[in-house]
Amino acid sequence: MADINHFEYGWITPALSYALSVLGSILGLICAGRIRTASSAGQRAWWGTLAAWALGGTAIWTMHFMAMLGFAVSGSRIRYDVPVTVVSALLAVVAVGIGLAIVGTGRLSTVRVLAGGLFTGAGVAAMHYTGMAAMRLNGELGYDPTRVALSVLIAVVAATVALWLAVTVRRGVAIFASALVMGLAVNGMHFTGMSALSVHLHEQRGEVAGAEVGSLLVPIVLLVIFGVVGLVYALLAAPTDEDRAAAAYLAARRAPAPAPAAVDTPDPVGLRARSTLARPGAQFPSRRDRPPR
């Protein structure tokens, strides 16, 4: 059995992975809060997609990959199968998106939150172990079933809490505090799953196929940067409740005032019918036009 080091670069990689999970959780919670206030199905789908990318892509998957940068196995190089790595990322985003769709549409209930958390947690666990299966090294991976089950349980509980926070938290301080808790839960799930891992090296060691960590790091970092910038721009460009209220107020002020309704005043002696002065273009009456007495 080979020696495994989860912190080859010290606390740099776990600190960065926690920061990424907190950042993605903040953006995801803000985007998820817009789902229930959206006025159309298209807007709900848009905000749900952004929230799924922030939570599943940034808070979970990029956190996982950043933490894996500090993973090392003595006696073997580590490379990654790119297609399987991409599949693991898609699993995280799709799982979170379906979970948000379960709890973000219709009336919020305990059954919806539990069902969404169960599905999302299972998807997050599948993402983790799919990402581990993408590793290529001169050895075979083994797992402790008890710790694997514990990591799946943590993933389900963390996903349930995250979905509940996503549809209930609104204020800035509460969002930040919730993101800190979610970051702890996501990292706890990851390192619990990693503690279940063991590596048995092959007796005959050959060349390891796959992409090196350095070649994957640059595109992933760029993807994170552009993704975060895009999420922030979408949040800043979207009108808030105050913006919509102000627009409605200005529209009401610009609307023309309704014409006053004609008042039917009494005319007891018939002067209105006999008078022609109020008619446009009427001539001034003369004595000749008077009827004989």
Side-chain angles (χ1 to χ4, degrees):
M1 185 179 297
D3 292 331
I4 296 176
N5 186 3
H6 297 284
F7 308 102
E8 186 179 14
Y9 301 104
W11 290 98
I12 296 178
T13 51
L16 289 176
S17 64
Y18 179 73
L20 282 173
S21 61
V22 171
L23 176 61
S25 297
I26 291 174
L27 295 174
L29 289 174
I30 296 175
C31 292
R34 305 288 181 92
I35 296 176
R36 287 191 168 271
T37 59
S39 58
S40 63
Q43 291 183 1
R44 286 191 293 270
W46 169 250
W47 289 117
T49 302
L50 293 182
W53 172 254
L55 291 173
T58 303
I60 297 174
W61 185 78
T62 56
M63 168 269 146
H64 165 84
F65 192 85
M66 184 59 64
M68 290 302 297
L69 292 179
F71 178 76
V73 177
S74 60
S76 177
R77 299 180 63 182
I78 298 177
R79 295 192 176 186
Y80 291 89
D81 187 316
V82 175
V84 179
T85 303
V86 173
V87 169
S88 67
L90 294 177
L91 281 175
V93 176
V94 171
V96 174
I98 294 177
L100 288 172
I102 293 175
V103 302
T105 56
R107 185 177 181 180
L108 182 63
S109 63
T110 304
V111 176
R112 282 181 174 271
V113 174
L114 292 177
L118 179 61
F119 187 92
T120 304
V124 171
M127 177 280 304
H128 174 81
Y129 290 104
T130 302
M132 296 300 296
M135 287 195 308
R136 299 290 180 262
L137 47 79
N138 283 310
E140 294 182 0
L141 305 182
Y143 293 96
D144 181 3
T146 302
R147 295 189 181 186
V148 170
L150 181 59
S151 68
V152 174
L153 178 62
I154 294 175
V156 171
V157 174
T160 303
V161 174
L163 292 178
W164 179 75
L165 293 173
V167 295
T168 56
V169 174
R170 293 292 182 269
R171 297 183 178 180
V173 177
I175 289 176
F176 182 73
S178 300
L180 294 177
V181 175
M182 290 172 61
L184 289 175
V186 172
N187 282 264
M189 177 267 165
H190 172 82
F191 288 106
T192 300
M194 293 301 295
S195 68
L197 176 67
S198 60
V199 178
H200 302 271
L201 294 177
H202 296 152
E203 295 182 0
Q204 296 180 354
R205 303 173 189 177
E207 183 67 22
V208 180
E212 294 184 354
V213 176
S215 61
L216 292 177
L217 182 61
V218 174
I220 290 178
V221 169
L222 292 177
L223 185 64
V224 171
I225 293 175
F226 285 113
V228 170
V229 171
L231 289 169
V232 172
Y233 176 78
L235 289 171
L236 294 178
T240 61
D241 295 338
E242 291 79 5
D243 295 334
R244 285 188 285 268
Y249 173 77
L250 293 176
R253 292 292 301 271
R254 292 173 182 173
V263 180
D264 189 11
T265 56
D267 188 16
V269 295
L271 294 177
R272 187 182 305 146
R274 296 167 59 184
S275 176
T276 59
L277 293 178
R279 301 174 185 175
Q283 297 181 356
F284 192 83
S286 63
R287 293 184 177 181
R288 297 179 181 179
D289 297 331
R290 296 179 181 179
R293 296 182 179 180

